[in-house]
Amino acid sequence: MRIGVIGTGRIGTIHAHTLSRHRDVGSLILTDVDPARAQALAHRLGETAAPGVDEIYTWGVDAVVITAATSAHAELIGRAARAGLPVFCEKPIALDLAGTLQAIAEVEAAGTVLQMGFQRRFDAGYTGAREAVRSGRLGRLHTVRAMTSEAEPPPAGYLSQSGGLYRDTLIHDFDVLRWVTGREVVDVYATGSDAGPAAFREAGDVDTGAALLTLDDGTLTTVTATRLNGAGYDVRMELAGERDQIVVGLDDRTPIASTEPTGPPAADKPWTGFLERFGPAYEAELTAFVEVVRGERANPCDGREALQALLIAQACETSRRERRPVRPTEPLSGAAAAFT
């Protein structure tokens, strides 16, 4: 199998390393808007670098992995679909609803595969939580608390292109919430704070956010995020039911300290970022993609799943801006409603 990797930045480099050593992947073609960066990575891996995206298709590949800038995702997905190729794409499909719907429509019209990169679905902790909920171990689920706390803010130049805290960071929590519980979000109320570095205010973003989500069975969920968590990278989900309560992301590297005399000690080596915390999950999602391409399993996370997470993120942003409850389905009408 030959796979084209479009984008050799931080996550593209990680994915290229994973694919290059996969037993079912024979070779890679790497390309990037910075050809020298792609060439350097190809040299390190013993793979081939292409001067541009066109060569990915003219030289011939069996599948495409998209890790380029977010603004290019929808167009690149459409091109792969028109070429009849299965594609893996980092989230999101697009930052707006129109671009997302167009890309999904192209994939479905072509009858190809689009697997989205929501890696938490492949994390052992979240997988265990899903099994606990689905098995009935917790009883009726009444409360979920989810959080993503980043140790350091991204570069200022990234903020204006990211889509904001809800679309860029919390979209992972929204996706995995649906995946773990099997329920849909029917209502959100969100707020945020831009009291931190000026770069957030200048980008029209917030450095810290919170949302109350109501699921379609009445379960209440709180979701919080910050880009200023000095203790370290902290991602958790707590699920409480009438029978039991569990937590994802609590281990000896969780950057939290107890004030109780008999509480656990603070982590000696707290998680530093998402690539470290979710390293095995990133590998697992690409293994799944190879299996999907080989026809050995069903797509674990398609474009419609990504659409649902985007709708929740958009609803949170609207709620924050307009200070009111918002239903995620508000922007859908006519033909667009068929995608939900």
Side-chain angles (χ1 to χ4, degrees), residues 126 141-148 173 176-177 181 211-213 219-224 235-241 244-248:
Y126 285 106
L141 193 64
H142 55 74
T143 307
V144 180
R145 293 175 286 270
M147 62 178 292
T148 295
D173 295 88
V176 84
L177 172 66
T181 65
L212 173 63
L213 315 180
T219 301
L220 296 181
T221 300
T222 56
V223 183
T224 64
V235 172
R236 279 177 280 144
M237 173 182 276
E238 299 174 6
L239 301 103
D244 203 356
Q245 181 172 230
I246 57 175
V247 59
V248 177

Side-chain angles (χ1 to χ4, degrees), residues 92 94-95 118 163-175 178 185 188 190 211 213 306-321 326-328 331:
L95 293 178
F118 283 106
L165 186 69
Y166 298 101
R167 291 184 185 89
D168 183 50
T169 297
L170 279 173
I171 198 166
H172 281 289
D173 295 88
F174 301 147
D175 174 73
R178 295 180 60 251
V185 175
V188 313
L213 315 180
L307 170 63
Q308 296 302 323
L310 176 66
L311 289 172
I312 299 167
Q314 287 191 159
C316 285
E317 182 56 39
T318 300
S319 177
R320 180 189 73 84
R321 187 175 60 251
V326 176
R327 298 180 69 85

Side-chain angles (χ1 to χ4, degrees), residues 165-166 191-194 200 206-210 224-228 320:
L165 186 69
Y166 298 101
T191 188
S193 168
D194 62 2
F200 290 95
V206 294
D207 56 72
T208 303
T224 64
T226 184
R227 296 189 188 271
L228 302 169
R320 180 189 73 84

Side-chain angles (χ1 to χ4, degrees), residues 44-297:
R44 292 198 302 273
L45 297 178
E47 303 289 355
T48 302
V53 175
D54 289 346
E55 285 76 12
I56 292 284
Y57 296 97
T58 59
W59 294 358
V61 294
D62 300 298
V64 175
V65 169
I66 298 171
T67 56
T70 296
S71 58
H73 286 185
E75 179 183 350
L76 291 171
I77 289 169
R79 183 165 187 179
R82 294 190 295 274
L85 293 173
V87 59
F88 173 96
C89 184
E90 278 300 319
K91 63 83 187 168
I93 294 175
L95 293 178
D96 65 309
L97 181 59
T100 299
L101 294 176
Q102 176 62 31
I104 294 173
E106 290 208 66
V107 169
E108 295 187 351
T112 55
V113 169
L114 167 60
Q115 180 181 328
M116 294 303 300
F118 283 106
Q119 87 284 352
R120 293 188 194 182
R121 293 179 178 224
F122 297 88
D123 176 73
Y126 285 106
T127 299
R130 175 183 164 97
E131 293 171 353
V133 171
R134 304 301 179 91
S135 70
R137 169 186 160 188
L138 306 185
R140 183 187 70 83
L141 193 64
H142 55 74
T143 307
V144 180
R145 293 175 286 270
M147 62 178 292
T148 295
S149 298
E150 297 179 347
E152 297 179 350
Y158 174 79
L159 293 175
S160 61
Q161 306 172 31
S162 70
L165 186 69
Y166 298 101
R167 291 184 185 89
D168 183 50
T169 297
L170 279 173
I171 198 166
H172 281 289
D173 295 88
F174 301 147
D175 174 73
V176 84
L177 172 66
R178 295 180 60 251
W179 186 74
V180 167
T181 65
R183 315 305 308 191
E184 297 296 342
V185 175
V186 297
D187 184 83
V188 313
Y189 188 85
T191 188
S193 168
D194 62 2
F200 290 95
R201 293 185 292 280
E202 293 167 358
D205 197 6
V206 294
D207 56 72
T208 303
L212 173 63
L213 315 180
T214 303
L215 306 188
D216 58 11
D217 63 348
T219 301
L220 296 181
T221 300
T222 56
V223 183
T224 64
T226 184
R227 296 189 188 271
L228 302 169
N229 199 54
Y233 184 76
D234 191 4
V235 172
R236 279 177 280 144
M237 173 182 276
E238 299 174 6
L239 301 103
E242 293 183 343
R243 294 181 183 173
D244 203 356
Q245 181 172 230
I246 57 175
V247 59
V248 177
L250 183 61
D251 58 22
D252 61 0
R253 298 195 65 183
T254 304
I256 190 169
S258 173
T259 61
E260 299 297 332
T262 58
D268 289 333
K269 296 181 179 180
W271 296 109
T272 59
F274 63 92
L275 291 176
E276 183 185 35
R277 166 67 176 82
F278 290 109
Y282 280 117
E283 292 196 17
E285 69 177 356
L286 286 178
T287 294
F289 179 60
V290 171
E291 292 171 351
V292 169
V293 175
R294 288 169 58 88
E296 297 171 352
R297 67 174 293 173

Side-chain angles (χ1 to χ4, degrees), residues 5-15 31-32 37 41 67-68:
V5 179
I6 304 174
T8 56
R10 181 169 57 170
I11 192 64
T13 296
I14 295 294
H15 287 342
T31 193
D32 193 272
R37 184 165 67 176
L41 178 60
T67 56

